[in-house]
Amino acid sequence: MRGTGLLLAALLAMVALTAISEAKIRSRNSKIRAGEEEFHKSRRQQYRKFKKGSSYTHVPFINSEDKAYWLKEGQTALREQLLVSPKVRQAKNIILFLGDGMSIPTVTASRYLKGQKTSRWEHEEMAWDKFPYSALIKTYTTDSQVADSAASATAYLCGVKGNLGTIGVDENVSKENCSAQQNAAFHTDSIAKWFQDAGKSTGLVTTMRVTHATPAGSYAHIADREWEDDHEIVDDGEDDIGCDDIAEQLVLNDPGRNFKVIMGGGRRVFTPNDVLDVEESRYGYRRDGKNLINSWLDDKRGRGSSAAYVWNREDLLATKTNDTDYLLGLFAYSHMDYLVERDTSMDPSLPEMTRAAIEVLQRDNNGFFLLVEGGLIDHGHHGNKGIKALTETVEMDEAVEVALSMTSQEDTLIVVTADHAHTMSINGYPSRHTDILGLADFSDEDYMPFTTILYGNGPGYRDPVNGHRPDPTNDDLHDVNYRQPASVPMSSAAHAGDDVGLWAIGPHAHLFTGVYEQNYIPHALAYAACVGNGLTYCGNNRFRRNYTYRGRLQRWRPLG
């Protein structure tokens, strides 16, 4: 009995202690809730004040936008659209602008940023917004729902979809498969080669290394996009003799060696590892001892052609483009600098490079193909640095304007598109004339503000502070290295699988009026320019035959 009594007493003591503990927990939780309620109360007041202050009644619109305004605007747009008619003739020239990672939200946000600077705000237009034809492009690859810049380049330049990380080869070549790379049956020729085969000139301009994924798609066949020079191949344990690296293919192989214009960054992959860079105190990357810049010059001089190699803005602007057959410009050791950080006395802008490229290529009366890449849009997004991505997009907009001013819609087809999307989005309900790089709204859950631009993943992710989402109120939102918040932490933001936009103007631009696979793009371009082995506007070997009509012999002739 005595043991039972002791056990009962112990149980009662435990119950009492549990009750005390639970009371303490309830008291502590009550204080926490009270603190949270006070926190949310203050935030709620700020939220209401913010929403009241951003009422549409207080927004200084550019013009009155009542019913009459929008009815007039709609009728004006309709009249303009009714005047649009296809230009059905051969495209002598094709200029393809590629915004790397330029998702549709990127275009919208960049338009707003441009509008902030011109005071046209939401009514602003990008150069390509005014193009008469547009389409959506599906970007998935043969092995992934979300593309990278390598596989997508194969699609929109070669007309064939391939695997992630590979360039200029079909799905039979997996990443880092050097032996498969050497099988010419798996190689995919680009539209640049089709132009060269037709006796026309070709060029490329980029803000990236000229051996990076996008430009490489126009001339290289490689099992790994990282194999830009021989040391990368060797470090992966592969044969750098059997597998030519991308820089070698650009300078020594067809069609790369025949490009009339090559401009961008990336000197390091062209020079030996015992040669110092002309601008930076760093050595080249090549272990094979080759100086491919010298090789490029020797090749062009051996052809009896006038060739110019430049590595800074001053030399580029001093180049006599009307007397230059070949132009090589390597303006950075690696990638070129962002517009917001660029030394403009040393590095040319994308519009300046575009102008020089067109001046050289226009010397060919047969026509030309030019690829222009705004590559740093993508790098800005990878870092969740919206201001860099958007300013690079606006700079590409200026380059498009240059191309429009130097060419005619009657003989030049200009296409603007992207290779893949990014996870950047435009969020909340920001009032009209709100800074696209600023705060959009307050959450109605935690009553804290959030930025208009947000990312799905990337280095902009921030750990909670005292259990709450970090408050961006006091952040320097216009710092060039400011990272907009991201939902999922990653060292570098991943791409997105959205369809991307395409805009076209000029001969046969009407071929882009729907939703297409990305590999459709070069087929349509080739048709317009009458190049390649597929269907063309001028006909091809299969259709170039004389025929009889109403008893009379008709001779085939090109329609352009």
Side-chain angles (χ1 to χ4, degrees):
M1 292 292 293
R2 186 166 178 268
T4 302
L6 291 173
L7 180 59
L8 180 60
L11 289 172
L12 290 172
M14 289 178 63
V15 169
L17 288 173
T18 301
I20 294 170
S21 177
E22 290 178 348
K24 289 181 178 179
I25 292 173
R26 283 195 298 271
S27 175
R28 184 180 63 196
N29 288 344
S30 177
K31 291 179 181 179
I32 292 174
R33 282 195 299 273
E36 289 181 344
E37 288 174 0
E38 184 62 31
F39 174 82
H40 286 301
K41 181 180 179 180
S42 64
R43 286 298 184 186
R44 191 180 300 114
Q45 291 172 346
Q46 292 179 30
Y47 170 75
R48 289 173 177 167
K49 182 179 180 181
F50 178 88
K51 294 300 288 184
K52 181 179 180 181
S54 62
S55 168
Y56 280 94
T57 61
H58 301 318
V59 175
F61 288 118
I62 298 172
N63 296 300
S64 173
E65 294 187 355
D66 58 8
K67 178 175 70 175
Y69 170 84
W70 289 112
L71 289 175
K72 180 181 179 181
E73 191 277 340
Q75 287 295 303
T76 299
L78 176 59
R79 290 190 187 94
E80 291 175 353
Q81 187 62 35
L82 290 172
L83 295 175
V84 172
S85 60
K87 296 185 183 297
V88 185
R89 59 176 62 89
Q90 181 182 0
K92 175 183 176 182
N93 314 308
I94 290 181
I95 304 176
L96 176 58
F97 283 91
L98 193 288
D100 198 321
M102 192 179 72
S103 60
I104 291 177
T106 301
V107 174
T108 304
S110 300
R111 185 189 302 126
Y112 289 168
L113 180 63
K114 179 182 177 182
Q116 289 173 211
K117 297 177 180 179
T118 62
S119 297
R120 294 194 66 215
W121 295 91
E122 296 80 11
H123 292 303
E124 185 56 87
E125 293 178 304
M126 303 299 278
W128 52 85
D129 288 340
K130 294 170 279 190
F131 287 9
Y133 299 98
S134 58
L136 288 175
I137 303 299
K138 297 184 282 187
T139 62
Y140 68 89
T141 72
T142 55
D143 62 346
S144 176
Q145 290 183 337
V146 179
D148 74 334
S149 296
S152 58
T154 306
Y156 64 77
L157 289 170
C158 304
V160 176
K161 290 202 174 192
N163 298 321
L164 286 179
T166 66
I167 305 172
V169 291
D170 70 11
E171 68 170 359
N172 289 293
V173 180
S174 57
K175 191 175 181 182
E176 297 186 5
N177 189 333
C178 178
S179 59
Q181 173 186 315
Q182 297 178 65
N183 189 336
F186 302 152
H187 292 183
T188 59
D189 290 334
S190 75
I191 188 170
K193 186 177 188 304
W194 304 341
F195 263 71
Q196 290 180 11
D197 290 344
K200 300 172 183 287
S201 295
T202 54
L204 67 87
V205 170
T206 179
T207 51
M208 312 298 286
R209 294 189 295 271
V210 297
T211 50
H212 208 242
T214 296
S218 63
Y219 61 83
H221 309 287
I222 203 81
D224 190 337
R225 59 178 292 176
E226 303 296 333
W227 292 352
E228 297 182 51
D229 60 84
D230 63 315
H231 101 274
E232 295 283 2
I233 299 177
V234 173
D235 287 351
D236 282 341
E238 296 291 345
D239 177 16
D240 66 314
I241 304 299
C243 282
D244 290 341
D245 58 73
I246 298 175
E248 282 184 306
Q249 292 187 45
L250 175 57
V251 174
L252 304 177
N253 299 356
D254 292 338
R257 61 190 294 266
N258 299 318
F259 273 69
K260 294 289 184 67
V261 175
I262 302 168
M263 282 191 283
R267 290 189 298 264
R268 71 186 193 187
V269 301
F270 291 87
T271 55
N273 58 8
D274 60 353
V275 173
L276 274 174
D277 184 68
V278 293
E279 190 176 14
E280 301 186 26
S281 298
R282 289 189 281 182
Y283 290 94
Y285 273 22
R286 304 200 65 83
R287 296 177 182 172
D288 57 11
K290 295 179 181 177
N291 188 316
L292 293 178
I293 296 174
N294 291 341
S295 297
W296 183 87
L297 287 168
D298 291 342
D299 175 70
K300 304 307 174 282
R301 290 165 181 163
R303 304 185 191 193
S305 302
S306 59
Y309 165 64
V310 294
W311 62 270
N312 60 69
R313 180 174 182 267
E314 182 181 355
D315 287 349
L316 174 65
L317 298 182
T319 300
K320 297 179 180 179
T321 52
N322 61 349
D323 192 34
T324 300
D325 296 321
Y326 293 88
L327 174 60
L328 172 63
L330 299 177
F331 303 107
Y333 178 74
S334 182
H335 300 305
M336 295 182 69
D337 291 333
Y338 290 102
L339 172 65
V340 292
E341 298 174 331
R342 187 178 303 154
D343 180 352
T344 55
S345 66
M346 291 297 294
D347 300 332
S349 67
L350 188 62
E352 288 172 335
M353 290 191 289
T354 300
R355 179 176 296 279
I358 294 174
E359 287 173 348
V360 171
L361 294 173
Q362 282 181 331
R363 300 179 68 232
D364 188 342
N365 292 326
N366 291 325
F368 65 84
F369 169 78
L370 173 62
L371 171 65
V372 181
E373 181 196 20
L376 292 169
I377 301 169
D378 176 69
H379 276 209
H381 281 322
H382 276 301
N384 292 161
K385 298 178 181 180
I387 190 170
K388 289 185 173 179
L390 302 190
T391 51
E392 292 296 320
T393 305
V394 173
E395 184 183 44
M396 195 177 86
D397 175 75
E398 295 170 2
V400 174
E401 291 284 12
V402 167
L404 288 169
S405 70
M406 297 180 68
T407 58
S408 168
Q409 296 179 28
E410 300 304 312
D411 66 1
T412 301
L413 172 59
I414 297 179
V415 172
V416 178
T417 190
D419 49 357
H420 56 75
H422 263 279
T423 65
M424 189 207 84
S425 59
I426 302 172
N427 296 269
Y429 297 96
S431 297
R432 289 282 294 274
H433 294 20
T434 296
D435 180 3
I436 190 64
L437 298 171
L439 300 175
D441 208 336
F442 276 68
S443 166
D444 60 0
E445 287 290 329
D446 65 12
Y447 305 106
M448 285 198 296
F450 57 88
T451 55
T452 301
I453 292 177
L454 296 172
Y455 284 89
N457 59 71
Y461 174 83
R462 299 166 193 180
D463 293 323
V465 178
N466 298 323
H468 300 292
R469 179 170 61 88
D471 185 350
T473 300
N474 296 319
D475 291 354
D476 184 357
L477 303 179
H478 290 86
D479 186 289
V480 296
N481 287 306
Y482 180 75
R483 301 185 194 272
Q484 274 77 19
S487 298
V488 177
M490 294 186 71
S491 59
S492 177
H495 295 166
D498 316 22
D499 292 353
V500 296
L502 181 147
W503 300 262
I505 188 171
H508 291 285
H510 63 280
L511 295 178
F512 299 103
T513 52
V515 180
Y516 303 99
E517 297 284 358
Q518 195 166 42
N519 72 298
Y520 168 79
I521 296 173
H523 292 278
L525 299 181
Y527 178 89
C530 299
V531 300
N533 296 319
L535 294 174
T536 69
Y537 170 68
C538 303
N540 56 22
N541 291 334
R542 180 180 170 189
F543 300 107
R544 290 176 185 171
R545 298 170 183 168
N546 298 333
Y547 60 95
T548 301
Y549 179 68
R550 292 184 178 180
R552 299 185 63 179
L553 180 66
Q554 306 292 321
R555 295 187 180 279
W556 175 90
R557 66 179 184 274
L559 300 177

